[in-house]
């Protein structure tokens, strides 16, 4: 539980403030963005290595920004992916002309948001690439290794990326070595107790006394099994066996070993655990090149740990050994005698000044449809605030519990962006959507934000012609955008299962009745029925998809919230201003 905080909503900003103030000798804030950048970055001719993700995992990710490791980090809210806009700004600032490598854990929200940033940088002619961290062997079977989550093994992946970039390797080489590291790193974890989001009094999840979860995710995503708690030596067996079952192809006999505490485990316990791990590795014929024990990726105050093995070769050893200096990790390598310390306070190159181009459009004075669009955003904000806690609990069943908070935050930002705005419906949705996307973060932030932007972009510029069929086309475009971005199909237990039937019903209703309010009302039951049907589905997308059958038996949070949004929109369209 978090006891030292002011207002929970200010937690992230105040955390970053304290951090950059304390470590100004090593790093600084990225101007105008939620991120930090090393004082020696961007460096001409050197690749910018950008890590990131939600906060709550310190020292991942922003604790590893400095010389010889990550050039910069994008910092999301607790357990929530940063938005694509923030990732873009940080990536752009970190580019010193040799391109940018994004590397982060494989979570759908991060994949989408960093993916959007990568696409934008490439469109501007900046070579940007991505290496996902997928080390958690217990999060998916070997046949689906590319679906695995990233956990503590990310430390080695970031170390390789940073060391390769620091010695001046080109982007293709940095990418290749980062990928090789990820391909040779394996982790497995266990947990004894849940963690509590700052400002909340109840943990996200609990583990029964006397039991432990094997394979639990770092956001509390449930594990592969719950079992009796056993002594440390048996935990050592469970973890070592899980990793030795998956020795990477072509691996030699030398490993780097990381024993990681998740936030609530004590170092002393981790040492006891290692006293059981070391002999097992020995018996297995593995030589420990170097072991490190401590906190590398935490999960707030979660009680548990993970074991990571990195199978080394000569090149990976050089990267492992290279000098690094970051707030959370310092190492003096063989190269240090020649190390040249760049002076702090490098001119802050490449500050991003451009706002999103969609919102730059000159506002045309809108009519009743513009007002109705803003009323729709306002009603959605109120509706989401009312069900925020319920959505959070629903998301915690199979995900990480942040869905209600993200959606509520997104609609607050959308409304703030159109306050005092008098443009047409098209611009109101585009503006609101861009603000939503930036503020909400997570998978749903990317998807619902893109939906609102697509709906807006598809509406006619002339506010007098927006009837039911124009909105049906716009909703259809919004649906297509979500499917393109997230790759989900009907039946995957996502927001698509509410939106697709609604879009189809709205099209049919609009053919019969041009009145927007009436057609919308006729289409809503399709969204409700679609959401109910998700209870019986097994999740195939997003965080919940790792749970298989355990994701059955309750409705999808995204479908539930999207239906609330559509209902709120209908109320706004049916009310005369
Ligand atoms: P996160 O998974 O990043 O924590 P949220 O909790 O905010 O994101 O949102 C979860 C919801 O997002 C799910 O209930 C689901 O409806 C939706 N979702 C996740 N991934 C996808 C996807 N690929 N396509 C469509 N919807 C998705
Ligand atoms: Mg979530």
């Amino acid at each position: 539980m978090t006891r030292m905080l002011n207002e929970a909503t200010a937690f992230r900003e105040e955390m970053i403030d304290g951090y950059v103030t304390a470590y100004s000798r090593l790093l600084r804030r990225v101007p105008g963005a939620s991120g930090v950048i090393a004082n020696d970055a961007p460096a001409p001719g050197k690749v910018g290595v950008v890590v990131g993700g939600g906060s709550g995992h310190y020292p991942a990710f922003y604790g590893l920004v400095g010389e010889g490791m990550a050039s910069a980090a994008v910092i999301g809210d607790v357990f929530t992916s940063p938005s694509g806009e923030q990732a873009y700004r940080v990536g752009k600032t970190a580019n010193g002309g040799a391109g940018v490598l994004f590397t982060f854990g494989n979570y759908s929200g991060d994949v989408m948001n960093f993916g959007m940033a990568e696409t934008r940088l490439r469109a501007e002619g900046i070579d940007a690439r991505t290496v996902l961290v997928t080390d958690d062997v217990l999060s998916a079977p070997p046949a689906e290794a590319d679906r695995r989550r990233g956990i503590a093994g990310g430390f080695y992946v970031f170390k390789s990326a940073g060391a390769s970039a620091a010695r001046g390797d080109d982007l293709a080489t940095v990418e290749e070595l980062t990928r090789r590291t990820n391909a040779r790193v394996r982790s497995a974890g266990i947990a004894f107790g849940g963690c509590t989001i700052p400002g909340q009094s109840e943990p996200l999840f609990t583990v029964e006394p006397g039991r432990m979860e094997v394979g639990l995710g770092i956001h509390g995503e449930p594990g592969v099994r719950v079992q009796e708690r056993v002594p440390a030596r048996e935990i050592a067996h469970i973890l070592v066996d899980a990793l030795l079952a998956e020795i990477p192809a072509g691996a030699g006999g030398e490993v780097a070993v990381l024993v990681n505490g998740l936030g609530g485990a004590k170092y002393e316990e981790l040492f006891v655990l290692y006293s059981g791990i070391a002999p097992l590795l020995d018996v297995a014929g593995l030589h420990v090149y170097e072991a490190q024990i401590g906190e590398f990726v935490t999960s707030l105050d979660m009680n548990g740990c993970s074991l990571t093995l990195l199978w080394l070769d000569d090149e990976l050893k050089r990267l492992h050994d290279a000098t690094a200096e970051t707030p959370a990790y310092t190492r003096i390598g063989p190269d240090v005698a020649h190390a040249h310390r760049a002076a702090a306070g490098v001119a802050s190159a490449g500050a991003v000044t451009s706002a999103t181009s969609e919102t730059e459009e000159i506002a045309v004075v809108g009519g009743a449809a513009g007002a109705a669009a803003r009323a729709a955003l306002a009603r959605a904000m109120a509706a989401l605030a009312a069900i925020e806690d319920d959505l959070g609990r629903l998301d915690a069943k199979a995900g990480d519990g942040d869905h209600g908070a993200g959606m509520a935050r997104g609609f607050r930002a959308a409304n703030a962006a159109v306050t005092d705005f008098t443009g047409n419906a098209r611009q109101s949705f585009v503006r609101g959507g861009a603000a939503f996307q930036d503020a909400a973060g997570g998978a749903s932030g990317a998807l619902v934000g893109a939906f609102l932007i697509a709906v807006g972009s598809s509406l006619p510029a002339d506010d007098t012609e927006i009837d039911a069929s124009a909105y049906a086309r716009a909703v259809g475009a919004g649906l297509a955008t979500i499917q393109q971005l997230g790759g989900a199909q009907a039946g995957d237990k996502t927001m698509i299962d509410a939106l697709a039937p609604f879009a189809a019903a709205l099209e049919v209703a609009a053919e019969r009745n041009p009145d927007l309010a009436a057609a919308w009302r006729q289409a809503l039951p399709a969204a409700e029925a679609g959401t109910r049907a998700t209870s019986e589905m097994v999740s195939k997308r997003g965080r919940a998809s790792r749970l298989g059958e355990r994701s059955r038996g309750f409705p999808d949070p995204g479908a539930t919230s999207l239906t609330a949004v559509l209902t709120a929109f209908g109320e706004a369209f049916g009310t005369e201003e």
Side-chain angles (χ1 to χ4, degrees):
M1 170 166 191
T2 310
R3 296 176 183 83
M4 286 184 282
L5 75 168
N6 300 308
E7 295 69 36
T9 48
F11 190 80
R12 173 178 67 170
E13 278 310 303
E14 292 174 352
M15 166 193 99
I16 300 175
D17 270 350
Y19 180 70
V20 295
T21 305
Y23 292 110
S24 60
R25 69 193 166 85
L26 294 171
L27 47 79
R28 62 189 189 278
R29 229 182 219 273
V30 175
S34 180
V36 294
I37 182 163
N39 283 337
D40 66 349
K46 289 196 180 168
V47 171
V49 173
V50 179
V51 299
S55 44
H57 302 301
Y58 193 89
F61 301 92
Y62 56 94
L64 302 175
V65 172
E67 282 184 47
M69 254 181 118
S71 319
V74 200
I75 307 175
D77 271 301
V78 172
F79 289 4
T80 303
S81 158
S83 69
E85 175 71 24
Q86 299 299 325
Y88 162 75
R89 292 185 188 197
V90 174
K92 178 141 183 168
T93 308
N95 175 41
V100 173
L101 183 82
F102 289 112
T103 177
F104 50 90
N106 184 24
Y107 296 91
S108 51
D110 292 301
V111 171
M112 283 186 259
N113 285 301
F114 281 88
M116 288 192 276
E118 180 185 312
T119 307
R120 274 177 78 183
L121 291 178
R122 283 173 170 256
E124 293 179 13
I126 297 171
D127 197 352
R129 308 190 189 181
T130 294
V131 177
L132 298 177
V133 181
T134 55
D135 58 311
D136 184 357
V137 298
L138 298 178
S139 61
E144 297 170 31
D146 59 347
R147 286 186 54 240
R148 287 175 172 170
R149 308 182 278 241
I151 55 173
F155 173 81
Y156 288 127
V157 179
F158 306 151
K159 180 70 173 69
S160 287
S164 171
R167 70 186 183 189
D169 291 349
D170 64 13
L171 182 57
T173 308
V174 176
E175 182 190 3
E176 193 274 313
L177 292 170
T178 309
R179 260 186 223 295
R180 193 195 302 179
T181 306
N182 183 59
R184 284 166 165 260
V185 74
R186 304 277 188 274
S187 303
I190 49 142
F192 309 103
C195 52
T196 306
I197 304 271
Q200 298 192 357
S201 51
E202 294 298 315
L204 255 185
F205 64 95
T206 51
V207 180
E208 276 176 55
R211 319 261 308 159
M212 62 185 213
E213 286 248 12
V214 179
L216 194 100
I218 58 172
H219 310 94
E221 303 94 328
V224 288
R225 67 169 193 270
V226 186
Q227 64 157 73
E228 288 289 287
R229 189 186 297 177
V230 292
R233 73 176 69 83
E234 285 168 52
I235 295 173
H237 259 291
I238 292 172
L239 297 179
V240 169
D241 289 350
L243 303 188
L244 294 187
E246 294 214 23
I247 298 176
E254 227 170 352
V255 288
V257 185
L258 196 79
V259 178
N260 176 60
L262 284 168
K266 302 314 300 174
Y267 279 62
E268 289 82 352
E269 296 174 85
L270 300 177
F271 297 146
V272 170
L273 180 65
Y274 191 67
S275 78
I277 289 171
L280 295 176
L281 296 177
D282 199 33
V283 168
L286 287 175
H287 173 243
V288 176
Y289 179 69
E290 188 175 303
Q292 297 191 77
I293 300 177
E295 292 183 341
F296 295 86
V297 175
T298 61
S299 189
L300 295 170
D301 53 346
M302 181 158 148
N303 200 326
C305 69
S306 60
L307 172 66
T308 300
L309 297 181
L310 168 65
W311 275 264
L312 292 161
D313 59 23
D314 288 346
E315 184 75 293
L316 295 187
K317 268 189 211 170
R318 275 192 287 278
L319 299 173
H320 174 277
D321 291 352
T323 296
E325 187 178 14
T326 75
Y329 178 77
T330 292
R331 177 182 192 98
I332 298 173
D335 52 330
V336 82
H338 310 290
H340 167 71
R341 304 267 145 169
V346 189
S348 72
V352 182
T353 47
S354 78
T356 50
S357 51
E358 297 93 330
T359 55
E360 297 269 280
E361 214 179 324
I362 309 269
V364 289
V365 176
R374 291 187 291 277
L377 294 173
R379 292 243 180 188
M381 175 173 77
L384 265 302
I387 59 171
E388 176 176 343
D389 293 347
D390 293 341
L391 286 173
R393 276 190 288 275
L394 201 51
D395 188 33
K397 284 179 190 284
D400 57 354
D402 66 346
H403 185 65
M407 291 291 291
R409 186 168 61 233
F411 275 109
R412 279 196 301 273
N415 277 277
V418 297
T419 307
D420 300 328
F421 183 66
T422 53
N424 58 20
R426 177 190 171 98
Q427 292 171 323
S428 299
F429 276 119
V430 170
R431 251 176 199 258
F436 182 100
Q437 202 165 47
D438 191 20
S444 57
L447 294 166
V448 176
F451 170 76
L452 295 171
I453 293 170
V455 166
S457 310
S458 314
L459 289 174
D462 179 351
D463 255 13
T464 55
E465 325 172 332
I466 308 188
D467 59 4
S469 61
Y471 260 104
R473 276 192 300 277
V475 169
L479 169 65
T481 298
I482 293 186
Q483 285 189 296
Q484 204 184 353
L485 194 57
Q489 301 300 321
D492 286 354
K493 191 169 180 129
T494 70
M495 54 182 75
I496 297 291
D497 293 307
L499 187 57
F502 176 80
L506 185 62
E507 209 182 306
V508 173
E511 271 166 29
R512 288 201 224 111
N513 193 343
D515 179 59
L516 175 60
W520 199 278
R521 218 170 15 250
Q522 281 164 29
L524 272 178
E528 288 157 6
T531 300
R532 277 195 300 278
T534 60
S535 286
E536 285 316 305
M537 294 174 187
V538 172
S539 170
K540 301 214 181 52
R541 289 280 163 184
R543 284 185 208 285
S545 64
R546 317 208 177 265
L547 292 188
E549 281 297 323
R550 286 173 75 178
S551 67
R552 207 193 282 278
F554 46 87
D556 174 61
T560 307
S561 64
L562 199 74
T563 299
V565 170
L566 295 171
T567 306
F569 281 17
E571 285 162 12
F573 296 152
T575 310
E576 292 296 325
E577 279 294 303

